[in-house]
Amino acid sequence: MKFSFASRVSKMPPFSVRPDRRAQRRESWISLAEELPAEELFPLAQLGEAAGAVFSAGPLALQYGDVAGSLALRQWLHSRWQKDQKLVVDPADILLTSGSQQTIDLLVRIYVNHGDVVLIESPAPPGCLQVLHLQGAHVIHVECDRDGMRPEELERLIAQHQPKLLFVSPNFGNPTGRAWTLERRKAVLELCRKHELLIAEDDAYGDLHFGSEPVRSFRRRYPSLFQLDRELGGNHVLYIGSFSKTIVPALRIGWAAGDPQLIEVLSAAKQTADWQSSTMNQAILLRLLQSPRFDWDSHITMLNREYDIRLKLMLELLKRPNWRGTEVEVPVGGMFLWAHLPEELDGEQLLERALAKGVSFLPGRRCYADGQGSSYIRLNFTHPGREELLLGMNLISEAIAEMRG
Amino acid sequence: MKFSFASRVSKMPPFSVRPDRRAQRRESWISLAEELPAEELFPLAQLGEAAGAVFSAGPLALQYGDVAGSLALRQWLHSRWQKDQKLVVDPADILLTSGSQQTIDLLVRIYVNHGDVVLIESPAPPGCLQVLHLQGAHVIHVECDRDGMRPEELERLIAQHQPKLLFVSPNFGNPTGRAWTLERRKAVLELCRKHELLIAEDDAYGDLHFGSEPVRSFRRRYPSLFQLDRELGGNHVLYIGSFSKTIVPALRIGWAAGDPQLIEVLSAAKQTADWQSSTMNQAILLRLLQSPRFDWDSHITMLNREYDIRLKLMLELLKRPNWRGTEVEVPVGGMFLWAHLPEELDGEQLLERALAKGVSFLPGRRCYADGQGSSYIRLNFTHPGREELLLGMNLISEAIAEMRG
C-alpha cells in the first residue's frame, strides 16, 4: 500500500539533523557535528555501584512509577536550587522527563497550535527547531548579539506577531556558547512579563561554564530568567534542565520546572506520550547523587576544566593559515564553537567536501528556521579527544583551502 | 500570567486514566485498576548481573546512540521471530521505542491529521484512546464479539468513513483478553489490504497466554496480522511490541516493526520527540536475553502459570453471592478480566464506593471514546497477590451489594 502521512510530516526536516550518523559507523570518521559529552569523563564506576545498589534493593525500582517521576530525585533538585541559588521550587512543580528534547516537545504540543508564532534566539538549537517544525509553528528569530537577545527587537516582534512562546538559553546558547548579560536578562524578562509571553528557558548546558569562576558563583551573578521571575513572584518561565550533559546521556533524564498548572498539563501530555520515564534510571541517578563517593561540584569542575582544554586547543588550531579569515567568538560555556567561514563560504558545500575527507560538523543553516547561517559552521569540542581534534580540524581546513581555490 | 494552551489540550482526558494514583500512596489501598505486571516475578537477580556486565564493559553504553536503537537488540528480535514463527523481519525495519504507548503516540503523530477517522476495537485500550484524543482524531469503534472484530462491521465503516488507520490487538485485547479466530484475522486483513487501510497491531500482551498450550505453539496457530500480511508480501501492518509486560516496565523498551518507509518517518518523529531511548537500558536487556542464566521460554511459561493461578482465583471469587448477575468472559491472555455488572450498575458510581472502601478498578467507560461501557469494569489480576486479590474483590462485591440496596 501507499502511505498517506499526516500533513505535518512534510514539515519535518530531513531524517537527521546529524549528517554524520551513517558516517560514524565507519571507524575512520571524525565527528565535530554532534552534541556529545566525552564518555571518558563519565562517572562510570560510581554509576555501576549505584546500579548495583538499586538492583539489590528489590524489584520496586523496576516497576511502573509515578508519571511525575521519582519524588526523591525531585527533592534533590529542590535542595540543590535552595542551597546553590537560594531558589525555592516545590518538588510538585517539577516533572521528570526523558531529557530536554522531550521537555521541549511536550511543551510545544500543549502550548502551540499549528500556525502560532514562536520566537526563538538567533541562531537557535537545531533540535528545538525540529520540534517547532513538526508542530507547524511559525518560527521567527529574534536578533541577538554578544550580550544576548536584543530587547528592542523582541518588543518589535511581540507587537507585530503576538507570539505564543519565546525560546531562550541565556546560559549557554547552542550553537553560540554565549551568556547573556544581567541587563539583557532583566530586560527580556520584563518585556515578557508585560506582554504575558511564556518563556521556555533551556538550561541543558548551564553547568558547562569555562574559566576560573565556579559555576555556582557564576550562576549567582547571572541568574536564570526562571529565578529572576520567581523572585518577582512570576510564573512566566518554564525551566528546562537535563542530566545528559553533566552525568550521562543514556540515563535519559531531564526535567521541567514551573507553574503548577503548566506542570500538570505537561504531565498529562507526558503520560500520553510514554506513560513515564524510567523509575530504574531515576533510582540509579539518585543513588549516584547521594553517594559519598560522588561530589557534584568536583565532577562539574573536572568536566569544565577538561572541556576548557579542548576548547583552547580548537581555538589554537583555528589560528593556522588555512583558517585565515574565519571569525569566531570565544564561547563562555556549552559544547560548541560557532565559526563564520572566510569569504562567506557555504557551510553545506564545505560539509560535503569535509565528509569526503572523513570529518563532519554542523552547517550553520541548521540553526535557523529561515535559511540564514549558510556561511557559519558549528564545531563540537567536547567529544573528540586531542588526536581527533587535531586531525578533524586539519581536514576541515584542507577542505576550506580547496574551496578557496 | 494566564496560560493559553493549545486547543488540543481541551481534548485531553482528565489528568490520569488511572484513578487510583493518589490512592496508591496510602498503603492500605488495593489496586485492581492498573496495567502492572507482578514485580515479585521480575528476573531481578539476572537483570542485576546484566547491569553489572554493562557497566564493566566501558562507558559507550552510557553515551548517546543511534535513534533506531541497539542493532544487536533488533537482531535478537529478528532471530526470535525467525526461530519461533519463521517470520523474517530485517533489523533495519525495526525501531526501538520507550514502550508501546510511545510507539502508538509516534504513529498517530505521523499518520493522523486532526479530524481524521481512526477505527478501533470495541472496547479499546484506554492509553490508545488518550493518544487519539490528544491528536484530535475522530475515533469510531468497530463492533467485536468473542471471535474478534466483525468484518461486516469493519467493511461498513470503511465505506462510510474512509478511515486513516485501524487499531487492533488480536492477541490479546485490552480490556477483554480475547484472541481472535484465524478466520477473523484473515477476513480483517483482507479488507484492509483491499482498501489500503493501515493496521496498527498492538501485541504488547501477546506473550501472556493462559492454558496448557505454550505461547510459541499458540502463536503458530494464531499468527499476528503482521505475519499474515508479510507472508502475502504486504506492508499494511505496523507491529507494536513491548518488553514492559514480559521483562520489566522500568527498562522502557518497546519496538515497532513494519515497512521501511513507515519506520523511517517514525524514526524521524522519535528523534524529534526524545532523540532516542536509553542505550544503557537496551544494553542491559540484551545482556539478560543473551545470558545463559536466563531462558526466555521458561520465563514466559513461569509468568503465564502464575498469572493463570491469579486469574482462576479471581474467577472463583466472582462466584460468590454478592457478585451474582455479573457476567464475565474468561480471558485467553493479557492482564484483565472484563466484567459486566449486574442490573446495569454504573461503573463510575461503583468506583466511588469502592475507593471509599480502599480498592480501585477501571470503570468500563474509559475503554470507549463515545460514553459506552458504563456498566462494565476492568479488573487487573496480574499485580495483586493472593491476599490483596481476596480482600480487593471482597470490598468491590460489598460495594455492589450496597448499590443494589
Side-chain angles (χ1 to χ4, degrees):
Chain A
M1 64 176 286
K2 277 189 63 178
F3 301 113
S4 151
F5 291 102
S7 52
R8 69 184 69 82
V9 168
S10 64
K11 305 281 176 55
M12 287 168 84
F15 172 59
S16 176
V17 292
R18 293 181 276 184
D20 56 332
R21 273 279 159 228
R22 266 167 313 155
Q24 271 208 325
R25 302 231 175 83
R26 282 173 52 183
E27 284 181 18
S28 55
W29 285 75
I30 294 170
S31 172
L32 309 183
E34 306 214 50
E35 312 187 356
L36 268 60
E39 60 257 18
E40 64 273 24
L41 306 180
F42 291 167
L44 181 65
Q46 294 104 308
L47 268 172
E49 279 173 30
V54 165
F55 282 98
S56 302
L60 263 182
L62 307 180
Q63 185 57 280
Y64 285 110
D66 196 17
V67 60
S70 156
L71 179 60
L73 185 52
R74 289 181 284 130
Q75 278 163 342
W76 185 90
L77 289 167
H78 159 87
S79 302
R80 186 159 72 95
W81 259 323
Q82 194 158 38
K83 194 181 99 192
D84 287 1
Q85 282 142 263
K86 303 194 195 319
L87 171 64
V88 179
V89 182
D90 190 326
D93 298 346
I94 300 175
L95 168 71
L96 298 183
T97 68
S98 299
S100 54
Q101 183 72 13
Q102 183 179 54
T103 310
I104 291 168
D105 187 48
L106 294 174
L107 174 65
V108 171
R109 288 179 83 179
I110 64 160
Y111 214 74
V112 178
N113 285 315
H114 183 95
D116 279 350
V117 169
V118 173
L119 301 181
I120 193 164
E121 283 174 295
S122 178
C128 187
L129 292 175
Q130 206 171 334
V131 169
L132 291 166
H133 288 314
L134 180 61
Q135 211 56 42
H138 177 192
V139 181
I140 297 178
H141 289 281
V142 188
E143 223 184 290
C144 298
D145 57 30
R146 292 186 180 206
D147 290 338
M149 187 164 276
R150 294 181 53 193
E152 66 282 8
E153 277 301 299
L154 177 61
E155 184 152 39
R156 184 180 66 79
L157 291 168
I158 291 175
Q160 193 178 339
H161 295 288
Q162 291 84 46
K164 232 9 222 305
L165 194 57
L166 170 69
F167 271 100
V168 298
S169 306
N171 288 358
F172 301 93
N174 170 1
T176 61
R178 284 173 184 157
W180 295 12
T181 63
L182 185 58
E183 292 63 37
R184 288 287 176 89
R185 288 170 202 249
K186 287 184 173 167
V188 165
L189 178 62
E190 194 184 319
L191 280 169
C192 291
R193 288 171 59 91
K194 181 171 139 196
H195 294 282
E196 301 234 314
L197 174 59
L198 181 64
I199 301 173
E201 180 176 30
D202 184 354
D203 201 35
Y205 294 99
D207 286 311
L208 303 183
H209 170 250
F210 313 127
S212 55
E213 185 175 13
V215 178
R216 196 186 292 179
S217 141
F218 182 85
R219 279 189 182 283
R220 285 200 188 135
R221 287 202 298 134
Y222 296 100
S224 62
L225 302 191
F226 178 60
Q227 175 155 13
L228 292 171
D229 181 52
R230 286 233 153 188
E231 285 169 357
L232 295 168
N235 65 346
H236 303 73
V237 184
L238 185 82
Y239 179 94
I240 300 169
S242 172
F243 288 102
S244 292
K245 313 305 185 199
T246 49
I247 306 292
V248 299
L251 286 170
R252 310 305 304 122
I253 301 178
W255 72 97
D259 183 90
Q261 191 196 358
L262 206 51
I263 293 296
E264 186 182 319
V265 180
L266 269 178
S267 302
K270 165 75 183 162
Q271 194 195 45
T272 306
D274 63 5
W275 286 131
Q276 62 207 235
S277 295
S278 169
T279 48
M280 179 182 96
N281 297 17
Q282 291 165 13
I284 293 173
L285 175 61
L286 183 69
R287 289 260 180 184
L288 174 81
L289 296 172
Q290 291 177 337
S291 159
R293 284 200 49 210
F294 181 82
D295 179 69
W296 175 269
D297 289 330
S298 322
H299 178 69
I300 297 297
T301 303
M302 176 278 293
L303 279 185
N304 287 336
R305 197 171 45 224
E306 180 60 33
Y307 289 160
D308 200 9
I309 292 170
R310 298 182 190 199
L311 167 61
K312 291 217 166 79
L313 173 59
M314 189 176 265
L315 288 168
E316 274 309 305
L317 294 171
L318 283 163
K319 293 180 186 160
R320 291 190 176 177
N322 274 347
W323 288 97
R324 71 180 181 283
T326 303
E327 289 165 28
V328 292
E329 183 185 323
V330 180
V332 183
M335 289 187 155
F336 312 106
L337 208 147
W338 181 238
H340 186 235
L341 294 172
E343 297 159 34
E344 305 281 332
L345 294 181
D346 183 87
E348 302 275 352
Q349 283 173 22
L350 180 64
L351 178 62
E352 268 184 49
R353 276 183 193 264
L355 283 173
K357 293 178 181 293
V359 62
S360 68
F361 54 80
L362 192 93
R365 199 145 38 190
R366 321 246 174 134
C367 297
Y368 290 91
D370 54 8
Q372 291 182 68
S374 61
S375 58
Y376 282 87
I377 63 175
R378 189 192 76 178
L379 299 165
N380 169 258
F381 54 82
T382 57
H383 188 248
R386 184 181 168 80
E387 294 308 309
E388 273 188 309
L389 240 168
L390 283 166
L391 181 56
M393 290 295 285
N394 196 36
L395 292 171
I396 299 172
S397 76
E398 280 176 17
I400 291 177
E402 280 175 25
M403 274 179 79
R404 276 173 152 161
Chain B
M1 65 177 286
K2 276 187 66 178
F3 301 113
S4 152
F5 291 102
S7 52
R8 70 183 69 83
V9 168
S10 64
K11 303 283 176 55
M12 287 169 84
F15 171 59
S16 176
V17 291
R18 293 180 276 184
D20 56 334
R21 273 280 161 228
R22 265 167 313 157
Q24 271 206 327
R25 303 233 173 85
R26 282 174 52 184
E27 283 181 19
S28 56
W29 285 74
I30 295 170
S31 173
L32 309 181
E34 306 212 50
E35 312 188 355
L36 268 60
E39 59 258 16
E40 64 274 23
L41 306 179
F42 290 167
L44 181 66
Q46 294 104 308
L47 269 172
E49 278 173 30
V54 166
F55 282 98
S56 302
L60 263 183
L62 307 182
Q63 186 56 281
Y64 284 109
D66 195 16
V67 61
S70 155
L71 179 61
L73 185 52
R74 289 181 285 131
Q75 278 162 341
W76 185 90
L77 289 167
H78 160 85
S79 302
R80 185 159 73 94
W81 259 323
Q82 194 158 38
K83 195 181 96 189
D84 288 2
Q85 283 142 259
K86 303 192 196 318
L87 172 63
V88 179
V89 183
D90 191 325
D93 298 347
I94 300 175
L95 167 70
L96 298 183
T97 68
S98 299
S100 53
Q101 183 72 16
Q102 183 178 56
T103 310
I104 292 167
D105 186 49
L106 294 175
L107 174 64
V108 172
R109 290 179 81 179
I110 65 159
Y111 214 73
V112 178
N113 285 315
H114 184 94
D116 277 352
V117 169
V118 174
L119 301 181
I120 194 164
E121 282 175 296
S122 176
C128 187
L129 293 176
Q130 204 171 335
V131 169
L132 291 166
H133 289 314
L134 180 61
Q135 212 56 40
H138 178 192
V139 181
I140 297 178
H141 289 281
V142 188
E143 224 184 288
C144 297
D145 58 28
R146 290 185 181 207
D147 290 339
M149 187 165 278
R150 295 181 53 191
E152 65 281 10
E153 277 300 300
L154 177 60
E155 184 150 41
R156 183 179 67 77
L157 291 169
I158 291 174
Q160 194 177 337
H161 295 287
Q162 292 84 47
K164 236 2 224 309
L165 195 56
L166 170 68
F167 270 100
V168 298
S169 307
N171 287 358
F172 302 91
N174 169 3
T176 63
R178 284 172 184 155
W180 294 14
T181 63
L182 186 58
E183 292 65 36
R184 288 289 176 87
R185 289 170 201 248
K186 288 183 172 167
V188 164
L189 178 63
E190 196 185 317
L191 280 169
C192 292
R193 288 171 59 90
K194 184 170 135 196
H195 295 281
E196 301 232 314
L197 174 59
L198 181 64
I199 300 174
E201 180 175 31
D202 184 356
D203 201 34
Y205 295 99
D207 286 309
L208 303 183
H209 170 249
F210 314 127
S212 55
E213 184 174 13
V215 177
R216 197 186 292 180
S217 144
F218 181 86
R219 280 190 183 281
R220 285 200 188 135
R221 289 202 297 133
Y222 297 100
S224 62
L225 303 191
F226 178 61
Q227 176 156 15
L228 292 170
D229 180 52
R230 286 233 152 188
E231 285 167 359
L232 295 168
N235 64 347
H236 304 73
V237 184
L238 184 82
Y239 179 93
I240 299 169
S242 173
F243 289 101
S244 293
K245 314 303 187 198
T246 49
I247 305 292
V248 299
L251 285 171
R252 310 306 301 123
I253 302 178
W255 73 97
D259 183 90
Q261 192 195 358
L262 206 50
I263 293 297
E264 185 181 319
V265 180
L266 269 178
S267 302
K270 165 77 182 160
Q271 194 195 44
T272 307
D274 62 7
W275 286 130
Q276 62 206 235
S277 295
S278 168
T279 48
M280 177 182 98
N281 297 19
Q282 291 166 12
I284 293 174
L285 175 60
L286 182 70
R287 290 262 179 182
L288 175 83
L289 296 171
Q290 291 178 337
S291 161
R293 286 200 49 209
F294 180 82
D295 180 68
W296 174 268
D297 289 330
S298 322
H299 178 69
I300 298 297
T301 303
M302 178 278 293
L303 278 186
N304 286 335
R305 197 171 45 226
E306 180 60 32
Y307 289 160
D308 202 7
I309 291 169
R310 298 182 189 199
L311 167 61
K312 291 217 166 76
L313 173 58
M314 190 176 262
L315 289 167
E316 275 309 306
L317 294 171
L318 283 163
K319 292 178 184 161
R320 291 191 175 175
N322 275 348
W323 289 96
R324 70 178 182 283
T326 304
E327 289 164 27
V328 294
E329 187 184 324
V330 179
V332 183
M335 289 188 156
F336 312 107
L337 208 147
W338 181 237
H340 186 234
L341 294 171
E343 298 157 35
E344 306 279 334
L345 294 180
D346 183 88
E348 302 273 356
Q349 283 172 23
L350 181 63
L351 178 62
E352 269 185 46
R353 274 181 194 266
L355 284 174
K357 291 177 182 294
V359 62
S360 68
F361 55 80
L362 192 92
R365 200 146 35 190
R366 322 247 174 131
C367 298
Y368 290 92
D370 55 7
Q372 290 182 69
S374 61
S375 59
Y376 283 87
I377 62 175
R378 189 191 77 177
L379 298 165
N380 169 259
F381 55 82
T382 57
H383 188 247
R386 185 181 166 80
E387 295 306 309
E388 273 188 311
L389 239 170
L390 283 165
L391 181 57
M393 290 295 283
N394 197 35
L395 291 171
I396 300 173
S397 76
E398 279 176 19
I400 291 177
E402 280 175 24
M403 273 179 81
R404 277 169 151 164

